[in-house]
Amino acid sequence: MVCIYCGSEKTEVVNSRQQKRSNAIWRRRTCAGCSAIVTTLEKIDLETAIIVTRKSAHQPFQRDKLFISIYESCKHRNDAQTSATMLTDTIIKQLYPLISSASVSSRQIATIAGKTLQRFDTAAGVQFKAYHP
Ligand SMILES: [Zn+2]
């Protein structure tokens, strides 16, 4: 990992933790060049792990696309951004059992997202389903 402050290529991991909710590994690193401390997150590359099928088209999974549709459905909430981030992680976790078949249909993603939103906030669920029938 290259230090963002001095450009040194020598950084050392001094602490590491598993983040179960977001399925990531959090690492605290120190730079051997300038002693700066930075945090890194290691996550599965979902774009290469999940292929989304829609009608006959195939495309890599895009977390941002899912996040935006969740965020749009949560706009009425004061905590829309935080909720959308948390809900997006929750929905992605529910996709894991489906990935073993190499691809997931956009309909499967919309169904899981709709149910998750409905449980979290009825108005958000209704909003989402209006755009993803
Ligand atoms: Zn440095």
Side-chain angles (χ1 to χ4, degrees):
M1 195 67 61
V2 175
C3 176
I4 58 171
Y5 301 107
C6 74
S8 170
E9 293 183 14
K10 292 189 177 182
T11 61
E12 184 183 343
V13 176
V14 291
N15 196 354
S16 177
R17 289 189 203 136
Q18 174 87 31
Q19 293 189 320
K20 286 189 177 171
R21 193 177 61 74
S22 57
N23 194 28
I25 297 176
W26 171 98
R27 291 193 177 97
R28 185 80 79 200
R29 293 174 172 270
T30 58
C31 174
C34 70
S35 301
I37 298 170
V38 295
T39 301
T40 61
L41 280 178
E42 180 182 288
K43 291 182 163 194
I44 291 173
D45 180 4
L46 295 173
E47 284 195 21
T48 59
I50 307 174
I51 300 297
V52 179
T53 57
R54 186 186 178 116
K55 293 174 184 160
S56 58
H58 303 267
Q59 59 180 298
F61 176 78
Q62 293 176 289
R63 186 189 191 284
D64 292 350
K65 197 171 170 183
L66 177 61
F67 171 82
I68 289 167
S69 66
I70 302 300
Y71 178 79
E72 288 292 324
S73 302
C74 292
K75 259 185 173 172
H76 62 283
R77 300 176 58 90
N78 290 334
D79 63 349
Q81 187 179 347
T82 307
S83 293
T85 300
M86 180 195 71
L87 287 161
T88 301
D89 288 341
T90 300
I91 292 160
I92 289 170
K93 255 191 163 176
Q94 292 177 70
L95 296 177
Y96 291 167
L98 305 173
I99 299 170
S100 59
S101 59
S103 65
V104 178
S105 72
S106 58
R107 182 176 293 269
Q108 286 175 299
I109 296 172
T111 300
I112 290 169
K115 285 180 183 170
T116 303
L117 275 167
Q118 189 73 36
R119 275 196 304 269
F120 178 72
D121 181 315
T122 307
V126 169
Q127 178 79 7
F128 184 85
K129 285 174 183 172
Y131 286 96
H132 304 86

